[in-house]
Amino acid sequence: MSEALGAGAGSPSDPTYGGPHDPEHDPRASYALEPQYVARLTDRVLATTGTTNPVFSPLDGAPLANIPQSSAADVEEAFRRARAAQRAWARVSLEERARILHRVHDLVLDRQAEIMDLIQLESGKARKHAFDEPMHVALTARYYARTAHQHLAPARVPGVVPGLTQVEINRVPKGVVGIIAPWNYPFTMALCDGLPALLAGNAVVSKPDAQTMLSALLAAQLLEEAGVPRDLWQVVAGPGRVLGSEIIGRADYICFTGSTATGKVIARQAAERLIGCSLELGGKNPILVLRDADIERAAEGAVRASFSNAGQLCVSTERMFVADQVYDRFVERFVARTKAMSLGATLGWDADMGTLISADQLETVSAHVEDAVAKGARVLAGGNARPDLAPYFFEPTILEGVTPEMTCFGHETFGPVVSLYRFHDEADAIARANDGEYGLNAAIYTRDTRRGRALARQVKCGTVNINEAFGATFASLAAPMGGMRESGMGRRQGAEGIHRYTEPQSVGVQRLLRFGPVLGMSDQAYAKVMNASLRLMDKLGRA
Ligand code: NAD
């Protein structure tokens, strides 16, 4: 049973929240939401077409809601409202904007059970993986609220003539940011990129993925409850291919998370308008287990890295390179831990892994495994769909003997499938980990963390975790997160994650002396004086 309704867990504060009922009694009704509750959420979509698109729960395949669909004219209206709201918002003090982010932090902690229910109903993930989402949003809200001044207050920098030239840098909001988000982490992907955009004085037009609109709409509702003016955060719904260009055609900046293929389309369209964009894309992330690794810790990390959210996580591991000396011991522990996982499509905390989100995902994952097996790969764990658990369920799967002609060797599966490879020397392991076009996340397990850090510099990935799967970097909000090569452009989190939404504006004040000859000095004499002062400044150590 959902904790939202469980004894002692406390009820969500939304009075219309019906919550899912006990699935044991009536599986059809089990995941139904109160119509009033759904209506309050779907009301937030700016849509006048009169058409709707159904959302189904992958837990049981039953319909959850009908989402109103937006037209190009609706997108235009969303931008009109967002622009008007942004002009007022830009005048709200930074302190007040930061206070609102603090309230978002508190609200997502208070309403956690309701948030997790909705995430699970739409995505089918295990509760412990749903928990990562409000937690990540709370971390993001707190980090940016506490560092607002550090990132956004006007900053003094040295002027060219000490004492006479004063320069400061203003961080001017871009205006209206378009956020196009995927389905895999529907609540945090709806909010984590938007919070810094708001703090920096922007408005947002958000287009969540069609499969997970409710989680994104709950996010929008919580923002309003925290004090964000309703018009400042617009939500539109519809196919990405149609609404995407409408958004990119009007936005001042685009923040996209999704596949590399779509990222390239977005980048081309943004280039046409000369607007900036950040792209968080796919990966084929490696883990290296060195000969001196703590094997039990590496096996635990490998399970989390490969099977969190059933592998539908951008920083998931799909390739493991294990030192010859520890290969057999590691594989024994990793396989044992994987086989011991409890699988289930349930709202309870008891499942270690939930279901894939859709028939499309199941088809891709099954095809990758079938192709590998047909070409000679060995299945050490899993390998099968489990329709007995949920319509799109697939077991956590470990493969050995994967070769370059198999699809899952270099292509992202985005599911619970990991391939194991032996290595003899570390240089070879690094070269194989760097193979391919992606470069999102990597992990290295070693007891020698100094050596781990040195090796990390050779890995072509935007984040590298030592003795941890992905959390050490992903949950450290001060650290930029994103991909190298075809895994993306730009970064979320840290200073980069908020500065992308601003235009740096340099304002210089010149006092007394002007830039040119004075008191009848010739241009040649002026050049001599300038040359001498350049040498002097260098001797004085000025930057
Ligand atoms: P996708 O690119 O198909 O869709 C993502 C979003 O883009 C959706 O909202 C979709 O409607 C929209 N979209 C689709 N076509 C569009 C177009 N032509 N123009 C504008 N918008 C368009 O991605 P997906 O397959 O749904 O998501 C999974 C992918 O996302 C995986 O490859 C995964 O690695 C990646 N991902 C990356 C990160 C990260 O932070 N790097 C995080 C989550 C997911």
Side-chain angles (χ1 to χ4, degrees), residues 181 183-184 207 240 256-259 262 280-282 314 412 414 492:
W183 43 263
N184 63 333
K207 196 217 73 64
F256 171 77
T257 306
S259 63
T262 309
E280 303 290 343
L281 309 176
C314 56
E412 185 185 41
F414 213 55
R492 60 166 54 106

Side-chain angles (χ1 to χ4, degrees), residues 180-185 189 207-211 238-245 248 256-263 265-266 269 279-283 312-315 361 412 414 438 440 474 481-483 487 492:
I180 301 177
W183 43 263
N184 63 333
Y185 278 74
M189 286 295 139
K207 196 217 73 64
D209 191 276
Q211 297 168 91
R241 241 172 288 114
V242 181
L243 294 195
S245 16
I248 300 165
F256 171 77
T257 306
S259 63
T260 296
T262 309
V265 173
I266 306 264
Q269 294 183 1
L279 308 170
E280 303 290 343
L281 309 176
Q312 303 164 119
L313 167 62
C314 56
V315 290
Q361 277 296 104
E412 185 185 41
F414 213 55
Y438 289 120
L440 190 56
F474 199 77
M481 188 271 149
S487 286
R492 60 166 54 106

Side-chain angles (χ1 to χ4, degrees), residues 20-267:
H21 311 292
D22 189 342
E24 271 174 319
H25 298 299
D26 179 358
R28 265 298 125 172
S30 64
Y31 301 124
L33 290 159
E34 294 291 337
Q36 246 183 310
Y37 178 76
V38 172
R40 258 191 79 184
L41 292 176
T42 54
D43 254 11
R44 309 191 74 85
V45 182
L46 205 163
T48 57
T49 59
T51 58
T52 60
N53 185 52
V55 170
F56 298 92
S57 176
L59 292 176
D60 61 358
L64 271 181
N66 288 313
I67 309 294
Q69 298 295 285
S70 312
S71 62
D74 292 326
V75 174
E76 190 175 355
E77 174 61 11
F79 273 89
R80 195 194 62 72
R81 291 185 196 179
R83 276 200 195 288
Q86 191 270 333
R87 281 192 285 276
W89 179 246
R91 291 193 295 272
V92 171
S93 71
L94 195 49
E95 289 72 20
E96 178 53 19
R97 291 187 224 147
R99 258 196 297 278
I100 291 175
L101 254 62
H102 273 301
R103 288 204 285 274
V104 171
H105 169 273
D106 293 348
L107 260 177
V108 297
L109 295 181
D110 293 347
R111 300 271 287 276
Q112 213 174 106
E114 175 190 355
I115 294 167
M116 291 192 294
D117 279 357
L118 215 46
I119 291 170
Q120 289 190 280
L121 289 172
E122 283 195 311
S123 70
K125 66 179 69 180
R127 198 156 187 86
K128 65 179 179 184
H129 301 141
F131 171 72
D132 291 343
E133 301 206 37
M135 185 171 68
H136 186 246
V137 170
L139 283 170
T140 306
R142 190 190 71 201
Y143 168 74
Y144 281 117
R146 293 237 186 263
T147 56
H149 275 273
Q150 177 192 321
H151 296 312
L152 297 173
R156 278 280 176 92
V157 293
V160 62
V161 187
L164 299 184
T165 315
Q166 282 182 344
V167 182
E168 68 177 20
I169 302 168
N170 294 326
R171 291 282 169 184
V172 180
K174 292 264 186 188
V176 182
V177 172
I179 298 184
I180 301 177
W183 43 263
N184 63 333
Y185 278 74
F187 185 74
T188 189
M189 286 295 139
L191 280 179
C192 71
D193 290 306
L195 293 177
L198 293 179
L199 186 70
N202 298 281
V204 167
V205 173
S206 152
K207 196 217 73 64
D209 191 276
Q211 297 168 91
T212 49
M213 285 298 301
L214 294 176
S215 305
L217 290 166
L218 177 59
Q221 184 184 303
L222 293 178
L223 286 178
E224 190 180 354
E225 287 178 34
V228 172
R230 187 171 173 130
D231 275 356
L232 199 65
W233 186 280
Q234 299 290 327
V235 183
V236 291
R241 241 172 288 114
V242 181
L243 294 195
S245 16
E246 297 297 332
I247 293 171
I248 300 165
R250 294 178 172 85
D252 301 305
Y253 186 85
I254 291 289
C255 168
F256 171 77
T257 306
S259 63
T260 296
T262 309
K264 288 180 182 179
V265 173
I266 306 264

